Amino acid sequence: SQQGEEDPQALSIQEGENATMNCSYKTSINNLQWYRQNSGRGLVHLILIRSNEREKHSGRLRVTLDTSKKSSSLLITASRAADTASYFCATDAVGNEKLTFGTGTRLTIIP
Amino acid sequence: SQTIHQWPATLVQPVGSPLSLECTVEGTSNPNLYWYRQAAGRGLQLLFYSVGIGQISSEVPQNLSASRPQDRQFILSSKKLLLSDSGFYLCAWSQGRRETQYFGPGTRLLVL
């Protein structure tokens, strides 16, 4: 089964609202990464958070990591139409040494 | 700066025909290279990764193979395509196994 699984699978919100996506994983990790994919395109790296970090910010993005709950969340504040995309978490599990991607959350921002 | 190229962007092939997808990276040396496949609306499945020239690790048994003839070139091949090989193929590179991966634009393959 997937190491990382995003929730919800799909999310639609009005432009200007905040969007929150969650990622749960099963085993201990070295780091967790979030990526974005526009339809039919390659993935773009957003943020990497290491296992000893609890929160990171990048512009309108905020990522939290709770290793005790084996979960992470990605918050996009003040959403824009251009944020419409699929968002994936990827985990680097201890002992695995490669990234495992989740199935993604499809985010739609309604203008 | 580093760039990654993939071609072709789109490919329609008949069942049983051969396949060759190419990926090249510029602006870095000795990258880790990856081939992923993404089914429609799904996550990424790692197919192959390489830590150096001629070093290929296969993640899942399949109809595909990979080669790395040069440091910054990664090729995905098949001798005979199956219908189930249809999908979106993504190449990526990273400096280390645990670090950020940078993806190419992808190749959409349709096997008919």
Side-chain angles (χ1 to χ4, degrees):
Chain A
S1 62
Q2 292 281 354
Q3 162 72 331
E5 294 191 5
E6 291 88 342
D7 169 62
Q9 291 187 347
L11 177 63
S12 292
I13 61 173
Q14 294 288 337
E15 191 169 20
E17 293 180 342
N18 296 341
T20 300
M21 289 158 274
N22 303 295
C23 171
S24 60
Y25 57 92
K26 293 181 172 59
T27 62
S28 296
I29 59 171
N30 296 302
N31 69 59
L32 184 145
Q33 304 180 32
W34 284 93
Y35 289 79
R36 185 179 95 174
Q37 184 182 32
N38 287 72
S39 181
R41 309 290 295 273
L43 278 71
V44 175
H45 179 258
L46 297 176
I47 288 183
L48 181 154
I49 187 165
R50 302 195 185 279
S51 60
N52 60 353
E53 298 175 309
R54 291 296 168 259
E55 188 171 310
K56 284 190 90 168
H57 297 255
S58 177
R60 294 183 294 113
L61 306 181
R62 172 176 168 250
V63 168
T64 61
L65 178 64
D66 187 335
T67 53
S68 67
K69 295 181 179 179
K70 292 186 171 56
S71 68
S72 174
S73 67
L74 170 65
L75 168 68
I76 303 175
T77 60
S79 63
R80 304 169 182 168
D83 294 329
T84 293
S86 292
Y87 292 81
F88 295 87
C89 69
T91 52
D92 167 29
V94 173
N96 200 9
E97 295 191 347
K98 62 178 183 287
L99 291 185
T100 302
F101 286 81
T103 52
T105 291
R106 183 166 183 80
L107 175 65
T108 301
I109 307 300
I110 303 167
Chain B
S1 63
Q2 301 88 4
T3 55
I4 178 169
H5 304 278
Q6 275 187 254
W7 63 92
T10 305
L11 191 59
V12 180
Q13 292 285 96
V15 169
S17 64
L19 173 74
S20 181
L21 302 182
E22 189 162 343
C23 171
T24 59
V25 180
E26 296 177 357
T28 186
S29 59
N30 196 30
N32 291 327
L33 296 171
Y34 310 86
W35 277 113
Y36 291 91
R37 177 168 58 202
Q38 185 178 32
R42 303 290 296 276
L44 277 68
Q45 179 186 36
L46 179 63
L47 302 176
F48 301 95
Y49 68 91
S50 171
V51 299
I53 295 174
Q55 300 179 61
I56 309 294
S57 296
S58 175
E59 287 297 298
V60 292
Q62 59 206 311
N63 185 41
L64 303 168
S65 62
S67 62
R68 184 171 177 174
Q70 300 180 42
D71 181 46
R72 289 170 288 180
Q73 184 184 30
F74 206 22
I75 297 172
L76 184 68
S77 304
S78 173
K79 292 182 180 178
K80 288 186 177 181
L81 284 169
L82 306 172
L83 288 174
S84 57
D85 291 324
S86 293
F88 191 49
Y89 289 83
L90 289 159
C91 180
W93 74 271
S94 69
Q95 276 297 351
R97 297 274 288 276
R98 298 195 174 95
E99 300 306 316
T100 297
Q101 292 189 13
Y102 300 92
F103 285 79
T107 294
R108 188 162 303 282
L109 172 66
L110 180 59
V111 182
L112 301 175

